[in-house]
Amino acid sequence: MARARGFFGPSERALEFGKQYAEVLQYWGEFFASGSKLVGANVKLGELASDAAKEWDQWVN
C-alpha cells in the first residue's frame, strides 16, 4: 500500500494520479480547442468556395 505524505496527507500514488489526471484533461482541452478551430476554418473555406463559384458563374454567363 502506498504511504501517506503525512498523517492526514494523500499518498504519493494519489498525488501522481491527480497530476496525470490533470495532464489528460489538459490534452482533451487542447484537442477540443483544435477541433473548434478546424470547424471554423472549414466553414470559412466553404464560404470562400461558394463565393468563388458565384463569381465564376457571373463571369462565364
Side-chain angles (χ1 to χ4, degrees):
M1 176 170 256
R3 295 182 48 170
R5 282 184 130 182
F7 188 68
F8 293 106
S11 68
E12 293 297 323
R13 192 72 171 158
L15 293 172
E16 183 182 352
F17 176 86
K19 181 181 174 186
Q20 187 64 35
Y21 190 78
E23 184 177 341
V24 168
L25 289 178
Q26 175 189 346
Y27 290 143
W28 273 110
E30 291 171 5
F31 173 75
F32 284 114
S34 294
S36 178
K37 290 177 185 177
L38 179 60
V39 168
N42 278 324
V43 167
K44 182 66 175 175
L45 183 61
E47 291 169 348
L48 291 171
S50 176
D51 291 347
K54 289 175 187 171
E55 288 180 14
W56 173 257
D57 285 342
Q58 290 174 353
W59 187 70
V60 296
N61 292 325

